[in-house]
Amino acid sequence: MNKIKKGDTVRVITGSVKNGKGKDGKVISVDAKNGKVLVEGINMVKKHSKPSMANQTGGIIEKEAPIDISNVMYVHKGTPTRIGFKVVDGKKVRIAKSTGDVID
């Protein structure tokens, strides 16, 4: 079970300001095998694409690049917090370490 899931709000805690250090964003996807996350509007890169059937004009496209999962932190009630696990009513749930609240 991953600590960060798709749809979570996270804050980038390391890296350069250009890549989004200190910014918050919503997780688009998680690659658990490689330990990477895609965060909306963070770590934008320019990709050159040739004209194709899907993209008639081609040109330069801006898209998000993956960030290492260790470089983001879950945001709970506006503040970044670590995530722990607890068994509640026979079900394993995520909890915010700072407040002890159940996340999901």
Side-chain angles (χ1 to χ4, degrees):
M1 187 178 226
N2 279 331
K3 294 186 177 188
I4 304 289
K5 290 183 178 178
K6 181 180 175 180
D8 287 347
T9 303
V10 294
R11 182 168 296 161
V12 180
I13 55 172
T14 58
S16 66
V17 176
K18 178 180 114 14
N19 289 346
K21 181 179 178 180
K23 289 184 185 173
D24 292 358
K26 191 175 166 190
V27 176
I28 300 169
S29 69
V30 178
D31 181 6
K33 185 180 174 190
N34 298 321
K36 303 277 186 183
V37 289
L38 267 176
V39 184
E40 199 173 276
I42 305 291
N43 198 22
M44 300 298 284
V45 294
K46 287 181 167 51
K47 183 167 173 23
H48 296 260
S49 68
K50 291 170 73 172
S52 64
M53 292 304 286
N55 183 9
Q56 295 286 326
T57 57
I60 302 168
I61 300 167
E62 273 205 66
K63 58 184 275 184
E64 292 93 357
I67 308 172
D68 201 88
I69 205 160
S70 65
N71 295 341
V72 297
M73 203 169 198
Y74 183 82
V75 175
H76 181 66
K77 296 182 180 173
T79 56
T81 181
R82 291 194 301 250
I83 294 177
F85 293 100
K86 191 186 248 182
V87 177
V88 178
D89 300 326
K91 191 172 185 220
K92 188 176 177 184
V93 293
R94 297 187 301 166
I95 60 162
K97 289 275 194 171
S98 59
T99 58
D101 296 343
V102 174
I103 296 167
D104 53 3

